[in-house]
Amino acid sequence: MNLIKTPLVLKGQLIELVSLDKAHFDALEKLASEEKIWQFYPFDLANPENFKATLPAALEERERGSQFPFTIFYKEQIIGSTRYMDIQPKHKKLEIGFTWMQSDYWGSGINTECKFLLLQYCFEYLDIQRVHIKTDETNIRSRKAIEKIGGQFEGIIRNDMVRDNGTKRNSASYSIIDQDWQHVKAHLLQMLGVTVLD
């Protein structure tokens, strides 16, 4: 039995995370053609043929219960995607990853709200105990963003992936666990400008 049921919509102040649907494929493919999005990924999905293969595969992984992909909507417009990965209900853990969006929205606060919605659902609805987040060791912008939202650095996973060009990728590994959540939540709400009354 899958841990997460579809359809699912996570609503924030600026964005909605909507479970990936075939109706989203064309818009996502157009956005993915922006080459700089994929600079630090082990694969180049600016190539339409490469990208087209990822979307049906994401739906297959959702059926198997190992992943749960979302489409990111901003003002009813598709701007990117994110997903839960490596979902392990027995161990109450999963990974948040494969987050990408149109570069116009980088640094806009949208990624912060995206992570808040995903983390809140993990810890407050799914009873998850550990969330793993990782990125390319050399992706300083992404590493700073993960640290800014409260991710705890755990170390470098050496030779974690092989890129499409055959080179090896080391990954910087971070986590947020259930004991961290209330502190991380308060910090994220402050970053998002949300006032919480006790």
Side-chain angles (χ1 to χ4, degrees):
M1 182 178 291
N2 290 354
L3 179 66
I4 307 170
K5 307 302 180 189
T6 190
L8 175 63
V9 179
L10 305 180
K11 294 185 179 182
Q13 296 183 110
L14 298 175
I15 63 168
E16 290 188 355
L17 302 181
V18 180
S19 45
L20 178 67
D21 187 270
K22 289 180 180 178
H24 307 157
F25 284 14
D26 288 347
L28 287 170
E29 183 183 338
K30 288 176 184 175
L31 293 177
S33 64
E34 187 178 6
E35 292 186 359
K36 68 179 177 179
I37 291 173
W38 310 107
Q39 179 182 358
F40 292 103
Y41 283 78
F43 35 72
D44 178 13
L45 297 186
N47 179 313
E49 294 307 311
N50 290 349
F51 187 79
K52 280 179 181 175
T54 69
L55 296 176
L59 295 183
E60 290 172 10
E61 293 294 340
R62 184 172 71 196
E63 288 298 311
R64 283 194 280 268
S66 62
Q67 298 189 12
F68 196 95
F70 293 92
T71 302
I72 305 170
F73 281 81
Y74 173 67
K75 295 183 177 178
E76 300 183 359
Q77 177 183 347
I78 291 174
I79 63 167
S81 183
T82 189
R83 66 182 69 173
Y84 293 130
M85 304 161 59
D86 191 23
I87 300 169
Q88 298 189 41
K90 178 181 177 181
H91 300 293
K92 297 189 174 185
K93 68 178 184 176
L94 53 74
E95 179 179 347
I96 291 175
F98 215 131
T99 303
W100 64 273
M101 64 184 72
Q102 189 177 1
S103 64
D104 292 350
Y105 298 98
W106 292 0
S108 66
I110 287 176
N111 186 50
T112 301
E113 184 167 69
C114 180
K115 293 299 189 291
F116 171 76
L117 293 172
L118 292 169
L119 289 166
Q120 182 181 46
Y121 193 73
C122 282
F123 292 118
E124 298 183 10
Y125 297 92
L126 298 178
D127 192 31
I128 291 295
Q129 295 181 354
R130 170 184 165 82
V131 171
H132 186 200
I133 306 172
K134 66 183 181 181
T135 189
D136 190 309
E137 178 186 22
T138 64
N139 189 345
I140 303 304
R141 181 179 62 83
S142 178
R143 292 182 64 175
K144 285 182 176 178
I146 295 168
E147 290 164 6
K148 190 174 180 180
I149 66 169
Q152 297 294 307
F153 179 62
E154 296 184 318
I156 301 298
I157 305 171
R158 299 182 301 165
N159 291 358
D160 185 39
M161 297 180 181
V162 177
R163 300 184 181 94
D164 282 352
N165 63 10
T167 61
K168 301 169 184 176
R169 179 187 122 161
N170 294 341
S171 296
S173 175
Y174 295 83
S175 70
I176 298 172
I177 61 174
D178 50 357
Q179 292 100 310
D180 303 332
W181 173 236
Q182 289 307 315
H183 175 74
V184 170
K185 179 180 181 179
H187 175 62
L188 286 171
L189 289 172
Q190 185 179 40
M191 288 177 67
L192 294 168
V194 177
T195 302
V196 180
L197 300 177
D198 293 329

Short mmCIF file of all heavy atoms in Angstrom, two decimals, residues 7-29:
data_model
loop_
_atom_site.label_atom_id
_atom_site.label_comp_id
_atom_site.label_asym_id
_atom_site.label_seq_id
_atom_site.Cartn_x
_atom_site.Cartn_y
_atom_site.Cartn_z
N PRO A 7 -5.16 11.84 -5.97
CA PRO A 7 -4.50 13.15 -6.12
C PRO A 7 -4.24 13.82 -4.78
O PRO A 7 -4.93 13.56 -3.80
CB PRO A 7 -5.50 13.95 -6.94
CG PRO A 7 -6.83 13.38 -6.57
CD PRO A 7 -6.59 11.92 -6.37
N LEU A 8 -3.21 14.68 -4.77
CA LEU A 8 -2.84 15.42 -3.57
C LEU A 8 -2.46 16.84 -3.98
O LEU A 8 -1.74 17.04 -4.96
CB LEU A 8 -1.66 14.74 -2.88
CG LEU A 8 -1.06 15.45 -1.68
CD1 LEU A 8 -2.07 15.57 -0.54
CD2 LEU A 8 0.20 14.74 -1.20
N VAL A 9 -2.95 17.81 -3.24
CA VAL A 9 -2.59 19.21 -3.45
C VAL A 9 -2.15 19.80 -2.12
O VAL A 9 -2.86 19.72 -1.13
CB VAL A 9 -3.78 20.04 -4.01
CG1 VAL A 9 -3.37 21.50 -4.19
CG2 VAL A 9 -4.28 19.46 -5.33
N LEU A 10 -0.94 20.39 -2.10
CA LEU A 10 -0.44 21.09 -0.93
C LEU A 10 -0.48 22.58 -1.25
O LEU A 10 0.22 23.04 -2.17
CB LEU A 10 0.99 20.64 -0.59
CG LEU A 10 1.20 19.14 -0.38
CD1 LEU A 10 2.65 18.84 -0.05
CD2 LEU A 10 0.27 18.59 0.70
N LYS A 11 -1.27 23.34 -0.51
CA LYS A 11 -1.50 24.75 -0.82
C LYS A 11 -0.74 25.66 0.13
O LYS A 11 -0.82 25.51 1.35
CB LYS A 11 -3.00 25.07 -0.73
CG LYS A 11 -3.84 24.38 -1.78
CD LYS A 11 -5.29 24.84 -1.72
CE LYS A 11 -6.12 24.15 -2.79
NZ LYS A 11 -7.52 24.61 -2.80
N GLY A 12 -0.01 26.61 -0.44
CA GLY A 12 0.70 27.61 0.33
C GLY A 12 0.16 29.00 0.04
O GLY A 12 -0.92 29.16 -0.54
N GLN A 13 0.91 30.02 0.46
CA GLN A 13 0.50 31.40 0.19
C GLN A 13 0.73 31.78 -1.27
O GLN A 13 -0.09 32.48 -1.87
CB GLN A 13 1.31 32.37 1.08
CG GLN A 13 1.07 32.21 2.56
CD GLN A 13 1.84 33.25 3.33
OE1 GLN A 13 1.27 34.18 3.90
NE2 GLN A 13 3.15 33.13 3.35
N LEU A 14 1.85 31.32 -1.82
CA LEU A 14 2.22 31.69 -3.18
C LEU A 14 2.00 30.57 -4.19
O LEU A 14 1.71 30.83 -5.35
CB LEU A 14 3.71 32.08 -3.24
CG LEU A 14 4.15 33.28 -2.41
CD1 LEU A 14 5.67 33.43 -2.49
CD2 LEU A 14 3.48 34.55 -2.92
N ILE A 15 2.17 29.35 -3.74
CA ILE A 15 2.19 28.22 -4.68
C ILE A 15 1.25 27.11 -4.26
O ILE A 15 0.75 27.08 -3.13
CB ILE A 15 3.61 27.64 -4.81
CG1 ILE A 15 4.09 27.06 -3.47
CG2 ILE A 15 4.59 28.66 -5.36
CD1 ILE A 15 5.34 26.22 -3.57
N GLU A 16 1.03 26.21 -5.20
CA GLU A 16 0.36 24.94 -4.94
C GLU A 16 1.24 23.83 -5.50
O GLU A 16 1.76 23.95 -6.61
CB GLU A 16 -1.02 24.87 -5.59
CG GLU A 16 -2.05 25.77 -4.96
CD GLU A 16 -3.45 25.54 -5.51
OE1 GLU A 16 -3.59 24.74 -6.46
OE2 GLU A 16 -4.39 26.15 -4.99
N LEU A 17 1.41 22.78 -4.72
CA LEU A 17 2.07 21.58 -5.21
C LEU A 17 0.99 20.57 -5.53
O LEU A 17 0.25 20.13 -4.64
CB LEU A 17 3.03 21.02 -4.15
CG LEU A 17 4.13 21.97 -3.67
CD1 LEU A 17 5.02 21.28 -2.64
CD2 LEU A 17 4.96 22.47 -4.84
N VAL A 18 0.90 20.23 -6.81
CA VAL A 18 -0.18 19.37 -7.31
C VAL A 18 0.45 18.07 -7.80
O VAL A 18 1.45 18.08 -8.52
CB VAL A 18 -0.93 20.06 -8.46
CG1 VAL A 18 -2.05 19.17 -8.99
CG2 VAL A 18 -1.47 21.41 -8.01
N SER A 19 -0.13 16.94 -7.40
CA SER A 19 0.42 15.67 -7.86
C SER A 19 0.51 15.65 -9.38
O SER A 19 -0.41 16.06 -10.09
CB SER A 19 -0.42 14.49 -7.35
OG SER A 19 -1.80 14.72 -7.49
N LEU A 20 1.67 15.21 -9.88
CA LEU A 20 1.96 15.21 -11.31
C LEU A 20 0.87 14.49 -12.09
O LEU A 20 0.43 13.40 -11.71
CB LEU A 20 3.32 14.54 -11.56
CG LEU A 20 3.76 14.42 -13.02
CD1 LEU A 20 4.04 15.79 -13.62
CD2 LEU A 20 5.00 13.53 -13.13
N ASP A 21 0.48 15.09 -13.20
CA ASP A 21 -0.56 14.53 -14.07
C ASP A 21 -0.07 14.63 -15.52
O ASP A 21 0.71 15.53 -15.86
CB ASP A 21 -1.86 15.32 -13.88
CG ASP A 21 -3.02 14.69 -14.62
OD1 ASP A 21 -3.22 15.06 -15.81
OD2 ASP A 21 -3.72 13.85 -14.04
N LYS A 22 -0.54 13.74 -16.36
CA LYS A 22 -0.14 13.78 -17.77
C LYS A 22 -0.48 15.12 -18.42
O LYS A 22 0.19 15.55 -19.36
CB LYS A 22 -0.81 12.64 -18.54
CG LYS A 22 -0.25 11.27 -18.19
CD LYS A 22 -0.94 10.17 -18.97
CE LYS A 22 -0.37 8.80 -18.61
NZ LYS A 22 -1.06 7.70 -19.34
N ALA A 23 -1.51 15.79 -17.91
CA ALA A 23 -1.90 17.08 -18.46
C ALA A 23 -0.83 18.15 -18.25
O ALA A 23 -0.85 19.20 -18.90
CB ALA A 23 -3.22 17.55 -17.83
N HIS A 24 0.12 17.89 -17.35
CA HIS A 24 1.19 18.86 -17.06
C HIS A 24 2.41 18.66 -17.95
O HIS A 24 3.31 19.51 -17.97
CB HIS A 24 1.65 18.72 -15.60
CG HIS A 24 0.56 18.80 -14.59
ND1 HIS A 24 0.68 18.26 -13.32
CD2 HIS A 24 -0.66 19.37 -14.64
CE1 HIS A 24 -0.42 18.49 -12.64
NE2 HIS A 24 -1.26 19.15 -13.42
N PHE A 25 2.47 17.54 -18.67
CA PHE A 25 3.70 17.15 -19.37
C PHE A 25 4.19 18.20 -20.36
O PHE A 25 5.37 18.54 -20.38
CB PHE A 25 3.50 15.82 -20.10
CG PHE A 25 3.52 14.61 -19.21
CD1 PHE A 25 3.41 14.70 -17.83
CD2 PHE A 25 3.61 13.33 -19.77
CE1 PHE A 25 3.41 13.57 -17.02
CE2 PHE A 25 3.62 12.20 -18.97
CZ PHE A 25 3.52 12.31 -17.60
N ASP A 26 3.31 18.73 -21.20
CA ASP A 26 3.75 19.66 -22.25
C ASP A 26 4.35 20.93 -21.66
O ASP A 26 5.41 21.41 -22.11
CB ASP A 26 2.58 20.02 -23.17
CG ASP A 26 2.17 18.88 -24.09
OD1 ASP A 26 2.95 17.90 -24.19
OD2 ASP A 26 1.09 18.94 -24.69
N ALA A 27 3.70 21.48 -20.64
CA ALA A 27 4.20 22.72 -20.02
C ALA A 27 5.54 22.47 -19.35
O ALA A 27 6.47 23.30 -19.45
CB ALA A 27 3.18 23.25 -19.02
N LEU A 28 5.68 21.35 -18.66
CA LEU A 28 6.94 21.04 -17.99
C LEU A 28 8.07 20.84 -19.01
O LEU A 28 9.20 21.28 -18.79
CB LEU A 28 6.78 19.78 -17.13
CG LEU A 28 5.96 19.97 -15.85
CD1 LEU A 28 5.66 18.62 -15.22
CD2 LEU A 28 6.68 20.87 -14.85
N GLU A 29 7.76 20.19 -20.12
CA GLU A 29 8.79 19.97 -21.14
C GLU A 29 9.31 21.29 -21.70
O GLU A 29 10.51 21.46 -21.91
CB GLU A 29 8.23 19.10 -22.27
CG GLU A 29 9.28 18.76 -23.32
CD GLU A 29 8.70 17.96 -24.48
OE1 GLU A 29 7.65 17.32 -24.32
OE2 GLU A 29 9.33 17.98 -25.55
#
